[in-house]
Amino acid sequence: MNVREGTLHGVKVITPEPRRDERGWFLRVFDAASYAAAGIDHTRLVQENQSRSKRRTIRGLHGRCALSEAKLIRCVRGSLFDVVVDLRPWSPTFLQWESFDLDDDTHTQIYVPAGFAHGFQALAEPTDIGYRVDSPYDPALDVAVAFDDPDLAIPWPLDDPIVSERDRDAPRLSDIRDQLTNWYGTDAPA
């Protein structure tokens, strides 16, 4: 596996190397030693989730109002436009976003530290996304940011997105910005 730093502080891009032959391919999806060498604490990954989306669906931008739920994300089937937004006030990349094209051909994975909002748009029909998280789901910590926030100006690739009511009604960053310090603190964790 090749691991490189993303543009945003703490984000890592993991590119597995499938072994291909006339039968198809074999892929190591999870490699504890590679993750540990890259500084990813794989021992804390406690839950794995998968969702299926129709083409044009946008899910997100979702996060937690606490420094919890780092994610290891991959596209299991189809293709997607993946976006992460740094919500940590102490981070050198605070309020910046980065996007990735993930698909079931390159098998790229994205490690997203706690304190980020995450979302994606399905580009194929169907698209399955899988993600491992480092803390059990707690609905009391749910937070969302508007996927179409003009301050972020994310260029979602497909028009006329399918969006849940929750995501359609999510607040803008300007509505929650004062709360970010309470949620994530002013200093990086030790």
Side-chain angles (χ1 to χ4, degrees), residues 87-135:
L87 299 179
R88 305 165 302 171
W90 45 265
S91 171
T93 56
F94 178 53
L95 298 183
Q96 295 178 30
W97 62 270
E98 184 172 8
S99 66
F100 306 92
D101 293 318
L102 304 181
D103 60 45
D104 61 7
D105 187 47
T106 62
H107 311 285
T108 299
Q109 300 175 31
I110 307 300
Y111 173 76
V112 184
F116 278 74
H118 170 257
F120 67 90
Q121 184 173 39
L123 303 178
E125 179 93 24
T127 292
D128 289 2
I129 184 172
Y131 51 100
R132 294 178 181 188
V133 295
D134 72 349
S135 60

Side-chain angles (χ1 to χ4, degrees), residues 6-110:
T7 303
L8 301 183
H9 181 68
V11 172
K12 298 186 186 303
V13 181
I14 302 126
T15 308
E17 298 173 349
R19 306 280 189 225
R20 299 178 190 275
D21 64 21
E22 65 279 354
R23 300 168 295 167
W25 51 264
F26 169 83
L27 173 69
R28 183 174 296 136
V29 174
F30 180 84
D31 185 348
S34 295
Y35 292 152
I40 298 171
D41 185 0
H42 65 281
T43 62
R44 295 199 51 201
L45 299 175
V46 299
Q47 185 175 314
E48 185 168 2
N49 305 306
Q50 183 170 337
S51 70
R52 175 165 290 170
S53 297
K54 296 179 178 180
R55 185 176 184 273
R56 297 186 355 260
T57 296
I58 293 178
R59 293 183 188 256
L61 302 160
H62 302 152
R64 300 290 171 262
C65 62
L67 276 177
S68 68
E69 200 174 86
K71 295 179 180 180
L72 184 61
I73 301 163
R74 70 187 187 102
C75 182
V76 179
R77 179 180 184 185
S79 62
L80 57 96
F81 176 78
D82 198 75
V83 177
V84 295
V85 181
D86 192 347
L87 299 179
R88 305 165 302 171
W90 45 265
S91 171
T93 56
F94 178 53
L95 298 183
Q96 295 178 30
W97 62 270
E98 184 172 8
S99 66
F100 306 92
D101 293 318
L102 304 181
D103 60 45
D104 61 7
D105 187 47
T106 62
H107 311 285
T108 299
Q109 300 175 31
I110 307 300

